């Protein structure tokens, strides 16, 4: 048996060390796997990994701090204290959580930020760490789980030597142990994905965010509605009141201003995302009267004429916004967006970066990547200063958010804002520029051995690839180049199954378009051969290598 008394005890004996796995947290502890998943992975002293079909694994003391993978900065939440208290009761109580809580509601109501805020406020309650999976693209979930075995996650000592499947097995073994962890499944819409990835042990608590309201009886729904009016006014004017160092009531002493604040909240549907953008604009224009701002919203073309808004409203609905609120949210976006003037060099840079970001996934986007779309060399001090200024301009307008401290050089763009931006007139070459820059950026990271950073680009590669396939065609050379780089990134990540499928599809298209001896075809064939070799399919790999060599 392993010593379970305290962290100052002697390490496990050589016999027990042969039966240990770092599950990331706690003292030495014997861990029984759930009977439904009795297979575990055991670490041997030499770092090799073997499958073990028993009913227990052993947990060793971790040397690195517990994982904290929340990808968003915390912000003061208004009007959500009751939901935060409910989550604390459900997820931190001593009893088992029979059904995971699911924060549900429309797009822009603040589900993800509520989950992030809960994680920040209660980090100490989860000694095994807090993990975060974006469930929007099912094909990318396995890669995220596998990455949880490495730095920033379980930090397994032989992470690099583990296969992709073994990484997933190690993570699931840890999540099934009694050590208390929090696993956030963000943007989960498909109940079958919960069945596939939900831990079966008693330690890990699961928190879901979802637009879906008609869940089967496998979650506890916490419906998040729009804000109460008093809270809406506080969100709209709280920052302005703080800037002017006056109480909120002082801004509403004039009855006309108070009526205007109420009308603005009504126009914006009391939706936190729209109110936050309006608050940013009011901070940007401290002398702007509320009644004047109300008139600007009401006179916006989206309200005044409702012309040419069908496509945009459709896009916003698809991004998760109900029909009745599209005009107000779009008007808030529009007021902010119209501050950017293409004739101004700084605004032109900001616009180009914003449109490039809109083609990426709604997760952290490296600023350097966006700078390079605008032709800025991050290594050039003057260029970097210009890039920083352009990003600050976007933040001041409320159009982009700040990522976590670990990625302070990254920005986030809400999916609703991205849907709006893609509908605005812009150069059609921007999609290609974003794809090319993203591809080159990923290859540079991979060539430099920065595999961890390159794998974080996978959601963006997937998103850009989808837009390219939709707008340029699935077999356009630029689309195929992005798909080839995605396959390469997946291979470097260790996801050989995903890489092989991508490589095979690209290779088939390239042979049909350019023939078997074209350089692009040979590059993809070489990538496929290497993937087959990595999978252990040596016969197929040899055949591919020989064909490339002959060509």
């Amino acid at each position: 048996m392993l010593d379970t008394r305290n962290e100052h005890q002697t390490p496990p004996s050589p016999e027990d060390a042969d039966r240990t796995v770092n599950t990331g947290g706690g003292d030495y502890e014997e861990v029984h796997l759930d009977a439904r998943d009795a297979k575990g992975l055991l670490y041997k002293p030499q770092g090799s990994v073997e499958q073990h079909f028993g009913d227990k694994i052993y947990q060793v003391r971790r040397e690195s701090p517990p994982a904290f993978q929340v990808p968003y900065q915390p912000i003061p939440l208004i009007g959500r204290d009751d939901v935060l208290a409910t989550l604390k009761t459900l997820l931190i109580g001593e009893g088992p959580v029979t059904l995971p809580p699911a924060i549900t509601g429309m797009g822009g109501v603040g589900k993800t930020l509520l989950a992030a805020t809960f994680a920040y406020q209660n980090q100490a309650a989860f000694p095994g760490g807090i993990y975060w999976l974006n469930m929007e693209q099912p094909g990318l979930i396995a890669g995220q789980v596998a990455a949880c075995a490495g730095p920033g996650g379980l930090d397994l000592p032989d992470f690099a030597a583990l296969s992709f499947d073994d990484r997933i097995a190690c993570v699931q073994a840890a999540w099934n142990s009694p050590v208390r962890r929090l696993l956030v499944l963000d943007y989960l819409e498909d109940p079958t994905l919960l069945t596939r990835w939900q831990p079966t042990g008693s330690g890990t608590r699961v928190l879901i965010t979802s637009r879906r309201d008609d869940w089967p009886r496998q979650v506890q729904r916490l419906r998040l509605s729009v804000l109460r009016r008093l809270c809406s006014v506080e969100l709209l004017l709280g920052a302005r009141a703080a800037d002017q160092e006056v109480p909120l009531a002082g801004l509403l002493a004039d009855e006309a201003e108070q009526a205007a604040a109420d009308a603005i909240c009504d126009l914006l549907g009391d939706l936190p995302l729209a109110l936050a953008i309006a608050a940013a604009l009011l901070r940007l224009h401290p002398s702007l009267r509320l009644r004047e701002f109300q008139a600007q919203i009401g006179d916006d073309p989206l309200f005044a004429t409702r012309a040419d808004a069908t496509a945009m409203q459709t896009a916003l609905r698809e991004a998760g916004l109900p029909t009745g609120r599209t005009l107000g949210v779009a008007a808030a976006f529009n007021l902010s967006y119209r501050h950017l003037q293409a004739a101004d060099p700084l605004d032109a840079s900001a616009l180009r970066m914003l449109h490039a970001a809109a083609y990426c996934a709604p997760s952290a986007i490296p600023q350097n990547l966006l700078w390079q779309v605008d032709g800025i060399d991050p290594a050039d001090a003057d260029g970097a200063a210009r890039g920083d200024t352009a990003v600050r301009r976007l933040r001041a307008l409320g159009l982009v958010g700040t990522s976590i401290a670990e990625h302070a050089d990254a920005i986030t763009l809400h999916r609703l804002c991205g849907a709006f931006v893609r509908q605005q007139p812009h150069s059609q070459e921007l999609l290609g520029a974003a794809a090319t820059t993203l591809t080159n950026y990923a290859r540079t990271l991979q060539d430099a051995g920065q595999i961890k950073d390159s794998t974080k680009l996978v959601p963006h590669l997937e998103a850009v690839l989808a837009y390219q396939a939709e707008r340029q065609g699935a077999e356009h050379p630029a689309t195929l180049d992005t798909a080839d780089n995605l396959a390469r990134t997946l291979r470097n990540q260790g996801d050989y199954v995903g890489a092989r499928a991508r490589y095979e599809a690209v290779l088939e298209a390239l042979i049909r378009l350019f023939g078997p001896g074209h350089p692009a075809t040979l590059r993809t064939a070489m990538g496929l051969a290497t993937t087959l070799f990595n999978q252990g399919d040596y016969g197929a790999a040899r055949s591919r290598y020989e064909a490339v060599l002959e060509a």
Side-chain angles (χ1 to χ4, degrees):
M1 290 296 296
L2 298 183
D3 197 326
T4 61
R5 285 173 291 178
N6 61 60
E7 62 177 291
H8 301 294
Q9 297 294 334
T10 57
S13 67
E15 292 78 17
D16 284 330
D18 197 48
R19 294 172 52 78
T20 62
V21 59
N22 184 350
T23 58
D27 297 332
Y28 294 114
E29 180 177 358
E30 182 180 349
V31 178
H32 290 263
L33 290 179
D34 189 282
R36 289 170 289 178
D37 186 13
K39 183 171 70 174
L41 283 169
L42 304 184
Y43 268 93
K44 300 179 78 66
Q46 297 82 3
S48 61
V49 177
E50 65 178 5
Q51 293 284 348
H52 174 77
F53 295 89
D55 66 347
K56 62 183 69 175
I57 59 174
Y58 294 94
Q59 176 176 309
V60 301
R61 185 171 58 245
R62 66 178 293 120
E63 297 177 357
S64 54
F68 188 73
Q69 298 182 345
V70 181
Y72 301 97
Q73 288 279 23
I75 62 171
L77 286 184
I78 295 172
R80 304 303 192 195
D81 290 345
D82 54 341
V83 186
L84 287 169
T86 300
L87 288 175
K88 190 170 183 178
T89 300
L90 292 174
L91 294 171
I92 304 181
E94 290 301 324
V97 180
T98 54
L99 295 175
I103 306 169
T104 64
M106 71 183 77
V109 80
K111 303 180 294 294
T112 294
L113 286 178
L114 179 64
T117 301
F118 172 80
Y120 273 96
Q121 290 181 353
N122 300 282
Q123 184 176 357
F126 301 98
I130 296 177
Y131 297 81
W132 191 288
L133 300 180
N134 186 311
M135 309 295 285
E136 185 172 6
Q137 296 174 286
L140 303 184
I141 298 172
Q144 295 178 68
V145 176
C148 289
L154 295 177
D155 199 17
L156 297 178
D158 294 314
F159 168 74
L162 293 176
S163 72
F164 188 77
D165 290 340
D166 284 348
R167 293 173 186 176
I168 291 176
C170 283
V171 171
Q172 291 184 313
W175 288 352
N176 286 336
S177 77
V179 179
R180 183 179 290 169
R181 296 176 171 84
L182 177 65
L183 173 60
V184 179
L185 304 180
D186 191 26
Y187 211 75
L188 176 62
E189 306 300 324
D190 184 354
T192 63
L193 294 176
L194 176 60
T195 303
R196 168 67 180 87
W197 294 107
Q198 183 178 7
T200 56
S202 61
T204 299
R205 312 297 169 91
V206 174
L207 174 59
I208 297 164
T209 74
S210 178
R211 292 180 303 171
R212 183 184 185 123
D213 191 55
D214 58 337
W215 275 87
R217 295 181 179 177
Q218 60 187 129
V219 303
Q220 299 183 65
R221 283 177 296 178
L222 300 177
R223 293 183 177 91
L224 204 62
S225 62
V226 297
L227 293 176
R228 297 187 301 273
R229 183 54 52 86
L230 286 177
C231 295
S232 294
V233 173
E234 183 180 351
L235 178 55
L236 178 69
L237 297 175
R240 172 179 268 200
D243 289 344
Q244 298 181 14
E245 298 182 340
V246 298
L248 183 62
L251 298 180
L252 301 173
D254 184 313
E255 289 186 5
E257 289 290 273
Q258 185 172 10
D262 190 66
I264 291 169
C265 294
D266 193 56
L267 287 170
L268 301 182
D270 295 298
L271 197 70
L273 177 63
L275 289 164
I277 291 177
L281 292 177
L282 287 173
R283 293 190 75 184
L284 202 61
H285 302 284
S287 62
L288 180 65
R289 305 280 289 180
L290 294 181
R291 66 197 78 172
E292 296 168 351
F293 189 50
Q294 174 197 349
Q296 288 182 10
I297 298 174
D299 291 341
D300 188 275
L302 293 172
F303 272 116
T305 65
R306 303 186 181 228
D308 302 323
T310 302
M312 184 168 58
Q313 289 187 59
T314 300
L316 291 175
R317 284 198 303 272
E318 290 174 353
L321 195 65
T323 306
R325 301 186 187 274
T326 52
L327 288 178
V329 175
F333 288 149
N334 209 28
L335 282 173
S336 182
Y337 183 85
R338 286 209 312 263
H339 278 72
L340 297 170
Q341 300 297 314
D344 179 272
L346 176 63
D347 281 1
S349 290
L351 278 166
R352 191 167 178 84
M353 294 177 194
L354 180 63
H355 279 280
Y359 284 120
C360 294
S363 57
I365 308 168
Q367 286 185 178
N368 285 355
L369 172 65
L370 300 177
W371 293 356
Q372 291 175 36
V373 173
D374 191 45
I376 294 174
D377 179 4
D380 176 68
D382 291 338
R386 191 176 99 230
D388 272 332
T389 304
V391 171
R392 282 198 300 271
R393 174 80 165 136
L394 294 174
R395 286 198 178 105
L397 290 169
L399 293 171
V400 302
T402 304
S403 187
I404 58 173
E406 181 187 353
H407 302 289
D409 58 348
I411 62 103
T412 56
L413 182 68
H414 194 283
R415 56 178 45 85
L416 284 177
C417 190
F420 169 84
V421 170
R422 287 192 297 274
Q423 294 297 321
Q424 305 311 303
H426 62 279
S427 172
Q428 294 304 301
E429 57 83 30
L430 253 175
L431 174 58
T436 300
T437 305
L438 184 59
T439 295
N440 292 337
Y441 193 81
R443 286 176 180 166
T444 299
L445 292 175
Q446 292 162 9
D447 292 342
Q450 299 176 29
I451 304 302
K452 177 186 174 184
D453 290 333
S454 73
T455 58
K456 293 175 182 176
L457 300 178
V458 169
H460 301 309
L461 285 165
E462 290 274 11
V464 169
L465 180 61
Y467 291 122
Q468 284 183 295
E470 175 188 336
R471 300 189 180 190
Q472 297 176 328
E475 295 192 353
H476 188 281
T479 306
L480 294 174
D481 188 56
T482 303
D484 180 88
N485 191 66
L486 174 58
R488 183 187 190 203
T489 305
L490 293 172
R491 187 188 76 214
N492 287 332
Q493 185 182 8
D495 184 0
Y496 302 130
V497 173
R500 179 174 182 170
R502 288 288 185 185
Y503 273 131
E504 288 175 341
V506 174
L507 183 60
E508 181 182 350
L510 290 173
I511 291 174
R512 185 166 54 253
L513 291 173
F514 304 123
H518 190 276
T521 306
L522 295 176
R523 183 189 69 187
T524 298
M526 187 69 176
L528 176 57
T530 303
T531 302
L532 293 168
F533 178 86
N534 293 146
Q535 280 188 303
D537 191 349
Y538 301 126
R542 174 173 179 168
S543 176
R544 289 289 182 187
Y545 278 132
E546 288 175 341
V548 172
L549 181 61
E550 182 180 356

